[in-house]
Amino acid sequence: MGKYTALQDDIFSIFADAAWEAENIQTFPTDTIPDNNVGEFIRVNIVGDGQGLNLTSISGVVIIDIFVAAGNGPTKANLIADTLDSYLVGKSFRLTPPKNTQFLNSNMVYSGRDPDNPSLSNYSYSIPFKHFGVS
């Protein structure tokens, strides 16, 4: 299995877990535009920077767009970001041994209204990662 597939499998295993599903935060991969009736949700985008310890390692950032009802301030987005932190910050995942994905500290900024659905505000949560493989 290649490094990009292993990385994707590790990261999306977090959001397929029963504990995450119990959070009731609808989660979609990047390049997905949910139906306008979905309401609040997150969209996960994995961005590798090409840097790694060897040919099967990579580092980068996971950018998670948080979409919440517009006009209500940042409270709901902050709650979702705090929930994401509890699953990601400082954690390591190893779905595809001998590979391992580690997360560092997060950041969040307001990105404005969603152009696809102006009733939603978009907050961009980002967290750097390091994905280690064995070559």
Side-chain angles (χ1 to χ4, degrees), residues 32-130:
T32 302
I33 301 173
D35 183 311
N36 278 345
N37 297 327
V38 168
E40 297 175 345
F41 65 96
I42 64 171
R43 188 167 41 216
V44 180
N45 183 20
I46 304 166
V47 182
D49 67 7
Q51 303 296 312
L53 296 174
N54 56 40
L55 296 177
T56 61
S57 299
I58 189 169
S59 61
V61 65
V62 175
I63 300 170
I64 300 175
D65 290 318
I66 300 171
F67 296 90
V68 296
N72 296 325
T75 301
K76 182 63 178 184
N78 287 334
L79 289 170
I80 293 172
D82 287 339
T83 301
L84 287 165
D85 273 358
S86 72
Y87 282 85
L88 300 175
V89 171
K91 302 286 175 38
S92 293
F93 297 90
R94 182 181 276 195
L95 179 67
T96 53
K99 300 179 185 307
N100 187 39
T101 303
Q102 296 177 342
F103 291 97
L104 305 172
N105 205 358
S106 67
N107 182 46
M108 187 175 75
V109 297
Y110 175 65
S111 301
R113 295 279 173 107
D114 178 25
D116 295 320
N117 183 351
S119 70
L120 296 175
S121 287
N122 180 2
Y123 292 79
S124 183
Y125 172 98
S126 59
I127 186 164
F129 68 84
K130 294 187 182 300

Side-chain angles (χ1 to χ4, degrees), residues 4-18 20-21 26-32 42-47 62-64 88 93 95-96 101 103:
Y4 292 105
T5 303
L7 171 64
Q8 176 181 298
D9 289 352
D10 276 359
I11 291 174
F12 280 101
S13 73
I14 300 161
F15 301 109
D17 188 75
W20 177 258
E21 289 180 0
Q26 294 190 71
T27 304
F28 299 94
T30 191
D31 199 28
T32 302
I42 64 171
R43 188 167 41 216
V44 180
N45 183 20
I46 304 166
V47 182
V62 175
I63 300 170
I64 300 175
L88 300 175
F93 297 90
L95 179 67
T96 53
T101 303
F103 291 97

